[in-house]
Amino acid sequence: MSSALTKPVSLVRDLIHQKSGPLTRELIQQPGGFGLGNIPASARPDRTTMMVCGFCSTGCGLNIHLKDRQAIGLTPAKNSPVNLGMACPKGWEALEVLKAKDRATMPLTRCAGSGDLRPTEWHIALNEFCDRFKAIQKEHGNDSVAFISTGQIVNEEMAFLGALAKFGMGMIHGDGNTRQCMATAATAYKQSFGFDAPPFTYQDFEESDVLVFVGANPCIAHPIMWERVMRNQNNPEIVVVDPRKTETAMQSTQHLALAPKSDLTLFYGLARLLIDNGWIDREFIDAHTTEFDAFAEHVAPYTLERVSSETGISPDAILHLAHTIHEGKKVSFWWTMGVNQSYEGTRLAQSLINLALMTGNIGRPGTGANSITGQCNAMGSRMFSNTTGLFAGRDFEKEHDRKDVAEILGIDVGSIPQENSLAYNEIIDGIESGKIRGLWVIATNPAHSWINQNRLKELREKLDFLVVQDMYSTTETAQIADLVLPAAAWGEKEGTFINSERRIGLVKKVSAAPGQALSDFFIFRLIAEYWGCGEMFEDWGSPADVFEIIKKLSAGRPNDITGITDYHMIDEAGGIQWPLRAGEELKDSQRRLFEDGQFYHADGKAKFYFEAPREMPEPPDEDYPFTLLTGRGSASQWHTQTRTSKSAVLRKLYPKTIFAEIHPDDANRLGIRPEDWVEVASRRAAIEVKALITVAVQPGQIFIPMHYKLTNQLTHDSFDPYSKQPSYKACAVTIRQTRGGSR
Ligand SMILES: Nc1nc2c(c(=O)[nH]1)N[C@H]1C(S)=C(S)[C@@H](COP(=O)(O)OP(=O)(O)OC[C@H]3O[C@@H](n4cnc5c(=O)[nH]c(N)nc54)[C@H](O)[C@@H]3O)O[C@H]1N2
Ligand SMILES: Nc1nc2c(c(=O)[nH]1)N[C@H]1C(S)=C(S)[C@@H](COP(=O)(O)OP(=O)(O)OC[C@H]3O[C@@H](n4cnc5c(=O)[nH]c(N)nc54)[C@H](O)[C@@H]3O)O[C@H]1N2
Ligand code: SF4
Ligand SMILES: [Mo]
């Protein structure tokens, strides 16, 4: 063994021995209480400690009950400012999914002979990782190896990965699954406000008198946010804009079941109505925005007749919504994937931002243009993953920003790439063209979740080396990997998440990772040592150390968190929203942005962005007459189901078999009965699904949840030009009954 490797080998031994550090220690509390942060664990091993849920971006506080410092159960935290004692089924079952039999417990390597994945030693796996990626870089250039990261690991891990891959290993390209999810909102905010900054706090759900939900189904996707809406005492108007009569639409006071992808026309029409009637806040517009007059000119041709005919919404319903917005004193606009996952998502998100700005509904309680994020740390990935933007919202292409980061991290500025990363879809294109030869996938499952799966499948053989780092060894992507690195999961490691309302919450180690699985954090540390860039990360010893580094990276930025002293402060507050600048007192647990009307552009103003609607990339036609909508199917299913399928309780709560919602008129016409098997075919694939006949979808549309691995065989890979986010939510399909219907 060479002497250079002595340190890594002993580090591996140490880390496996310690299993990535001790179980939660100082952060142990009284059951249901705060403030006992400093009790040594040895004194009180059987306590309760609160941490943030690891599924969705709501960021509920969960009280973890410990025996001998091991989690034995959980209950939703009553004193969390987020969930006020509530949790959805996923949260309740969060510990259960850690115990699954298919947890990755050893590194796995693909055998040259048999082609099987076989268990191997960490030491061998880490050498293979470095040797093969280095060989690819040597032959094809540093930028021929890329990574795809996630919104589901803690900030400290994201930051480590981003720094390691880009500054240590010389990669230029690395993106995250947040591209599938939040890229549109991030781009829209950045352009409109000058920084990616969702302005709201959850209290706004309770304070609004008008809530407009666009392409969002919180009853299923963010159930505890919906509980907050249910607590609203203002008897609010709840408007849902969604082609489907979703669970949320069923509880609305106004449901606008518009034609898929006609939203931009609707909101331009609405803007015109508000302007024509003088129902705008001219004072706010003049003082705090730019480009309004050009916007007003842009929306002038969107007459009520035109908008009604293009959206399928009656003129009365559109007028009623305009009235509602005008009459509302505290109007909030909320959007999720029905907006973001569109070929014109950025302009669509901005059409909502524009409505909030022009009516002065921003910066006050109960208002805002509010993007709801998806994954537990999607916000963290937007801020601190160092993927498509340099740390803390900086720009790789700006010399000043690079110098800043180099100085903070004490590294050579030359090690920071001068160009932006390729976006996820461009990395995929790069694999096709032979530019990208090596790929490292961390905490995401593209072989199920990426759009147009069959194309992706064909590209596998173009990769010389595919590494998957996951908590399970059985994910669709792990199964096609050359090397699988076993990762500890939420609950088995420490760090912070940022939720939808910019709240930084703690994740704690309350359970031991199985076998030789290590936290992503320590996997990155080991890779740094084996790669030979360990020196660059000498200060990155623990998640708490990296939190200090993240704080420094945020200093003076809009997302400044230098006022957070340490994990204890977050723990005692039950989560802290950014910004909190050094010296600033944490006065309120519900804070919103833009109360002073100051935005982040140099002139302090927000800017109106707008553009003519585009054609749907693949509209229905004679051969493929239906529009396929996809999205979340139930509150008990999470994405590609690697986690939620491991809980017996959750399995009882969702349909086992893939299904399509079909309108009764279409079913009758095609002779399809309930529960029949039907073939759904797009230009890319044909799959079989069960028929669920329901008026939740409109005639000519069908809906298939994303949680089944066949769904993305159908989807069409088109993208928003600004955010490069995939347009998962609309493509053309045909349906027919198969095998004589039911089986
Ligand atoms: N239970 C559960 N909860 C989750 C998740 C999960 O997998 N399971 N995932 C989390 C993540 S990462 C995310 S990003 C969020 C997603 O949360 P949501 O965005 O609320 O969920 P989706 O079902 O993907 O999409 C919302 C709605 O968009 C509608 N839609 C489709 N096309 C259009 C259109 O053209 N216009 C309009 N106005 N609406 C349209 C769909 O009909 C759907 O009802 O959920 C988070 N929460
Ligand atoms: N058709 C269609 N497709 C969609 C969507 C849609 O609406 N329609 N929505 C898109 C959206 S919004 C999203 S966010 C994506 C989600 O797509 P993915 O990110 O692919 O989905 P997940 O199942 O959440 O994958 C997370 C992976 O990380 C692993 N994991 C969990 N915790 C850890 C950890 O701590 N460390 C490591 N190393 N691994 C861990 C899990 O086992 C799992 O394999 O899907 C997208 N795909
Ligand atoms: S709503 Fe989201 S954060 Fe809250 S318990 Fe459910 S999955 Fe966890
Ligand atoms: Mo997402």
Side-chain angles (χ1 to χ4, degrees):
M1 193 189 304
S2 79
S3 60
L5 279 181
T6 317
K7 183 177 170 198
V9 173
S10 61
L11 189 59
V12 175
R13 217 177 290 127
D14 284 359
L15 290 178
I16 292 170
H17 179 65
Q18 292 178 35
K19 286 291 217 37
S20 315
L23 289 178
T24 293
R25 272 205 192 145
E26 303 85 0
L27 303 174
I28 303 230
Q29 299 158 351
Q30 293 273 28
F34 290 118
L36 288 172
N38 293 323
I39 299 171
S42 53
R44 303 188 177 190
D46 299 339
R47 286 290 180 172
T48 288
T49 188
M50 186 174 94
M51 62 192 256
V52 172
C53 176
F55 284 101
C56 89
S57 64
T58 307
C60 294
L62 301 175
N63 275 335
I64 310 288
H65 308 298
L66 305 165
K67 187 168 168 50
D68 299 332
R69 271 189 248 129
Q70 271 280 341
I72 50 165
L74 65 82
T75 45
K78 286 204 178 75
N79 50 353
S80 157
V82 170
N83 50 313
L84 317 172
M86 304 174 276
C88 84
K90 294 184 298 299
W92 278 102
E93 285 296 287
L95 292 169
E96 191 57 31
V97 306
L98 302 178
K99 301 176 195 153
K101 287 199 187 73
D102 62 340
R103 284 297 302 273
T105 56
M106 292 280 289
L108 302 174
T109 177
R110 190 156 309 273
C111 280
S114 66
D116 297 342
L117 280 173
R118 295 258 173 89
T120 187
E121 303 280 324
W122 265 111
H123 172 62
I124 296 171
L126 290 162
N127 274 325
E128 184 182 350
F129 180 98
C130 295
D131 292 349
R132 292 188 66 179
F133 277 147
K134 279 188 173 180
I136 294 170
Q137 284 188 329
K138 195 166 173 210
E139 196 178 338
H140 303 286
N142 276 359
D143 60 349
S144 61
V145 173
F147 67 98
I148 305 272
S149 152
T150 184
Q152 294 180 60
I153 57 178
V154 292
N155 290 311
E156 293 75 358
E157 293 174 342
M158 279 180 189
F160 206 151
L161 171 60
L164 168 65
K166 295 205 166 172
F167 310 154
M169 298 167 69
M171 288 189 211
I172 293 170
H173 306 303
D175 199 1
N177 64 359
T178 35
R179 180 72 59 180
Q180 300 166 312
C181 183
M182 299 318 306
T184 291
T187 311
Y189 278 139
K190 204 168 170 187
Q191 291 182 344
S192 296
F193 295 161
F195 196 78
D196 174 15
F200 62 100
T201 188
Y202 293 159
Q203 184 65 22
D204 292 324
F205 285 121
E206 301 186 24
E207 301 226 2
S208 292
D209 51 16
V210 177
L211 299 105
V212 183
F213 289 95
V214 184
N217 189 10
C219 285
I220 292 295
H222 299 95
I224 302 306
M225 291 192 202
W226 185 254
E227 292 294 337
R228 299 292 298 264
V229 177
M230 293 292 96
R231 289 165 51 96
N232 186 310
Q233 299 295 311
N234 303 324
N235 192 22
E237 280 290 322
I238 300 176
V239 182
V240 169
V241 181
D242 194 310
R244 294 191 305 134
K245 195 172 179 124
T246 58
E247 295 77 359
T248 313
M250 286 178 203
Q251 304 207 40
S252 66
T253 55
Q254 299 176 38
H255 174 208
L256 277 65
L258 80 181
K261 303 291 158 268
S262 63
D263 306 62
L264 200 51
T265 302
L266 176 68
F267 297 125
Y268 288 159
L270 207 55
R272 179 198 145 127
L273 272 177
L274 295 168
I275 295 167
D276 284 358
N277 286 298
W279 293 341
I280 56 174
D281 186 339
R282 195 73 229 196
E283 213 176 299
F284 184 90
I285 294 170
D286 291 343
H288 302 295
T289 73
T290 54
E291 295 296 319
F292 174 73
D293 291 339
F295 173 66
E297 204 173 301
H298 171 79
V299 298
Y302 290 81
T303 60
L304 191 55
E305 299 68 37
R306 171 180 169 189
V307 173
S308 173
S309 98
E310 290 179 16
T311 60
I313 305 293
S314 72
D316 281 353
I318 301 169
L319 278 169
H320 182 42
L321 177 55
H323 268 278
T324 305
I325 292 172
H326 170 55
E327 280 157 18
K329 298 204 167 32
K330 294 185 265 180
V331 184
S332 53
F333 299 88
W334 307 87
W335 80 85
T336 319
M337 290 308 115
V339 170
N340 284 356
Q341 291 172 345
S342 161
Y343 54 89
E344 56 190 9
T346 301
R347 292 294 175 258
L348 177 53
Q350 286 165 334
S351 73
L352 295 170
I353 295 173
N354 295 347
L355 286 173
L357 291 173
M358 67 194 273
T359 55
N361 275 301
I362 197 146
R364 290 183 290 116
T367 66
N370 305 333
S371 145
I372 301 174
T373 49
Q375 306 166 77
C376 47
N377 201 23
M379 273 306 299
S381 121
R382 285 154 74 168
M383 297 295 143
F384 297 118
S385 68
N386 207 36
T387 49
T388 45
L390 186 57
F391 281 122
R394 292 182 178 83
D395 196 333
F396 282 102
E397 288 177 337
K398 289 192 183 144
E399 195 186 349
H400 175 264
D401 282 356
R402 291 196 303 273
K403 275 195 179 148
D404 228 17
V405 168
E407 204 170 296
I408 296 165
L409 299 184
I411 60 173
D412 176 5
V413 69
S415 60
I416 302 183
Q418 299 185 15
E419 58 183 285
N420 285 323
S421 167
L422 293 175
Y424 197 142
N425 63 317
E426 294 163 338
I427 291 177
I428 303 292
D429 290 347
I431 298 171
E432 186 159 54
S433 70
K435 181 179 157 76
I436 305 284
R437 305 278 185 139
L439 189 67
W440 179 17
V441 174
I442 304 100
T444 181
N445 188 12
H448 174 144
S449 60
W450 187 245
I451 200 160
N452 187 3
Q453 277 296 313
N454 288 350
R455 174 170 173 236
L456 196 72
K457 230 173 266 162
E458 280 165 22
L459 296 183
R460 169 60 190 99
E461 63 196 51
K462 292 216 158 195
L463 279 176
D464 296 337
F465 192 45
L466 172 64
V467 179
V468 171
Q469 185 167 319
D470 204 285
M471 61 185 280
Y472 300 107
S473 58
T474 53
T475 72
E476 287 89 348
T477 317
Q479 287 301 302
I480 56 169
D482 297 305
L483 183 68
V484 178
L485 302 179
W490 169 93
E492 298 165 347
K493 57 185 180 181
E494 276 191 340
T496 54
F497 286 156
I498 310 180
N499 78 354
S500 274
E501 48 166 2
R502 312 180 316 284
R503 188 181 302 278
I504 297 154
L506 269 188
V507 176
K508 302 176 186 176
K509 186 173 176 187
V510 292
S511 188
Q516 296 196 3
L518 293 175
S519 69
D520 294 287
F521 189 90
F522 286 105
I523 298 176
F524 300 142
R525 234 186 108 187
L526 284 172
I527 289 172
E529 294 297 339
Y530 274 71
W531 192 271
C533 59
E535 274 174 23
M536 197 183 258
F537 298 99
E538 268 175 0
D539 298 339
W540 301 55
S542 70
D545 293 342
V546 176
F547 186 69
E548 290 304 313
I549 294 172
I550 289 172
K551 276 166 58 180
K552 282 192 201 136
L553 287 163
S554 79
R557 319 268 319 153
N559 50 8
D560 191 327
I561 49 168
T562 49
I564 302 179
T565 44
D566 57 12
Y567 285 168
H568 287 278
M569 182 175 174
I570 301 174
D571 204 35
E572 294 198 359
I576 298 173
Q577 291 166 300
W578 66 255
L580 189 72
R581 299 169 191 92
E584 200 179 337
E585 195 191 334
L586 180 61
K587 287 203 196 98
D588 200 342
S589 71
Q590 301 282 342
R591 293 180 299 139
R592 52 190 68 74
L593 302 177
F594 311 132
E595 282 178 329
D596 56 359
Q598 290 302 302
F599 295 89
Y600 302 114
H601 284 301
D603 60 3
K605 295 184 174 182
K607 189 169 170 190
F608 282 84
Y609 275 86
F610 48 87
E611 192 174 320
R614 292 161 195 261
E615 290 295 310
M616 238 168 120
E618 196 188 51
D621 59 14
E622 235 169 69
D623 296 332
Y624 296 92
F626 288 87
T627 302
L628 168 68
L629 307 173
T630 66
R632 274 75 200 156
S634 75
S636 304
Q637 285 164 296
W638 180 257
H639 296 160
T640 74
Q641 291 264 63
T642 65
R643 284 194 273 170
T644 41
S645 68
K646 309 296 156 55
S647 147
V649 172
L650 296 179
R651 280 199 302 275
K652 277 201 165 36
L653 295 174
Y654 64 78
K656 189 171 167 207
T657 317
I658 184 170
F659 64 92
E661 294 181 356
I662 303 172
H663 191 273
D665 291 355
D666 291 324
N668 285 342
R669 193 164 42 82
L670 298 168
I672 297 169
R673 290 157 305 175
E675 304 270 304
D676 273 0
W677 284 91
V678 294
E679 183 190 83
V680 179
S682 72
R683 286 185 178 80
R684 294 151 294 282
I687 65 171
E688 271 198 293
V689 303
K690 269 197 169 184
L692 175 72
I693 298 173
T694 165
V695 291
V697 284
Q698 300 180 48
Q701 297 165 24
I702 67 167
F703 173 79
I704 306 182
M706 64 161 299
H707 311 295
Y708 306 94
K709 68 169 183 241
L710 295 179
T711 311
N712 274 321
Q713 291 198 10
L714 298 172
T715 45
H716 176 241
D717 38 357
S718 53
F719 303 89
D720 177 272
Y722 307 105
S723 70
K724 318 260 171 71
Q725 181 158 340
S727 187
Y728 281 111
K729 293 246 188 293
C731 71
V733 295
T734 176
I735 47 179
R736 68 181 178 92
Q737 199 197 45
T738 55
R739 305 197 203 172
S742 54
R743 274 189 271 158

